[in-house]
Amino acid sequence: MIPIKTPAEIATMRIGGQITAAVLGVMCSAAAEGVSTWDLDQICAIELAARGAKSACFGYSGKQCPFPAQICISINDEVVHGIPSKQKFLKAGDIVSFDLVASYDGLMTDSTRTVIVGQTSPEAEQLVRQTELALFAGIAKALDGGHIGDISFAIESHAKKFKLGIVRELVGHGIGRDMHEDPRIPNWGRRGQGPKLKAGMTLAIEPMLMLGSETLNFDNDGWTVRTADGKWAAHWEHTVLVTKNAPEILTVLKK
Ligand code: MF3
Ligand code: CO
């Protein structure tokens, strides 16, 4: 069952989405050479609290242990769910993704951005940029009357155009009262397939793309997902409201 949000829930998610966007903006500006990911996590806690929101990542239950931080920070060959650490420092040329689910007044919004620390290789830069554009290609298909497969197909087509690998083990998802609601939103698929899209659905669309092979490894910390071949990955995500007209991106700053 795919939840359709009430006008009141949508109003709350609009506020929450602005908070998620603002906090991610701070995180991206703070991502500089020499900063530890633990320090970045502390900043995240402060910025969320200052806006009356909470991290839904913290304590989220995984296979082995609850997620121990406010935000997932994944560097280079880490694809998703990197755990902030006092031992991990950003270096020039790194690509760093910040994946944040903020909870505000009982509703969640989920967004991810990948930033480059200083300058990186042309190849890595293209990975970051085209993963973001794959996200926007998918969002453009989040239309009332369309299908989940339209979003999936648009993302897959964009990835293929730039010969980027697609993460198959993890997918986008509905979001709202729960972090992961129906439907699943794979980053590959066929037009016209899958559940039908309706105004009032809120979807976390999230391409995770890679420079190398699609095989992944799971670290024994219970969370970190990385590429098996060590090539780099990027991740971009927005929470989007399906409307009767154009999709509304809730996790982009509107002011
Ligand atoms: N944003 C991630 C997702 O969509 C979830 C991060 S939650 C955490 O699945 F618990 F892993 F932090
Ligand atoms: Co998500």
Side-chain angles (χ1 to χ4, degrees), residues 209-254:
L209 304 181
M210 300 170 281
L211 285 172
S213 100
E214 294 184 346
T215 312
L216 302 180
N217 280 158
F218 296 78
D219 282 11
N220 57 19
D221 63 11
W223 283 101
T224 311
V225 180
R226 61 176 80 236
T227 62
D229 61 10
K231 299 246 174 96
W232 291 8
H235 182 197
W236 282 83
E237 175 174 25
H238 277 304
T239 297
V240 174
L241 172 69
V242 180
T243 80
K244 290 279 178 204
N245 304 299
E248 180 180 334
I249 305 176
L250 299 176
T251 45
V252 148
L253 277 190
K254 280 169 186 165

Side-chain angles (χ1 to χ4, degrees), residues 56-58 60 67 72 81 99-101 110 112 173 179-180 206 223 237:
C57 298
F58 183 77
Y60 187 76
F67 192 76
C72 302
H81 301 168
D99 181 357
L100 176 63
V101 189
D110 188 358
T112 308
H173 49 94
M179 188 193 293
H180 298 128
E206 51 178 319
W223 283 101
E237 175 174 25

Side-chain angles (χ1 to χ4, degrees), residues 14-140:
R14 279 200 181 102
I15 300 169
Q18 293 303 290
I19 295 172
T20 299
V23 175
L24 275 180
V26 173
M27 302 312 298
C28 291
S29 320
E33 192 176 356
V35 178
S36 78
T37 57
W38 192 85
D39 286 336
L40 293 167
D41 194 63
Q42 299 295 109
I43 294 173
C44 186
I46 292 164
E47 296 294 328
L48 283 169
R51 293 170 175 83
K54 277 192 334 201
S55 167
C57 298
F58 183 77
Y60 187 76
S61 52
K63 288 196 188 88
Q64 285 166 256
C65 58
F67 192 76
Q70 306 287 314
I71 185 167
C72 302
I73 307 180
S74 310
I75 305 172
N76 301 343
D77 64 312
E78 297 171 350
V79 183
V80 289
H81 301 168
I83 302 175
S85 156
K86 284 184 182 173
Q87 267 85 52
K88 274 190 186 170
F89 298 90
L90 302 188
K91 302 184 306 301
D94 284 348
I95 64 172
V96 184
S97 76
F98 295 101
D99 181 357
L100 176 63
V101 189
S103 173
Y104 177 77
D105 202 8
L107 285 146
M108 285 169 241
T109 52
D110 188 358
S111 184
T112 308
R113 300 185 201 173
T114 302
V115 292
I116 297 167
V117 181
Q119 283 196 336
T120 192
S121 68
E123 200 186 26
E125 197 176 321
Q126 156 131 313
L127 167 71
V128 171
R129 198 56 38 229
Q130 296 309 332
T131 304
E132 181 181 16
L133 293 179
L135 169 59
F136 282 99
I139 291 172

Side-chain angles (χ1 to χ4, degrees), residues 137-154:
I139 291 172
K141 301 295 177 189
L143 301 171
D144 182 90
H147 291 80
I148 291 296
D150 304 347
I151 299 171
S152 302
F153 177 80

Side-chain angles (χ1 to χ4, degrees), residues 148-158 186-191:
I148 291 296
D150 304 347
I151 299 171
S152 302
F153 177 80
I155 293 171
E156 179 181 21
S157 305
H158 194 93
N187 291 309
W188 70 96
R190 287 160 56 190
R191 274 183 286 207

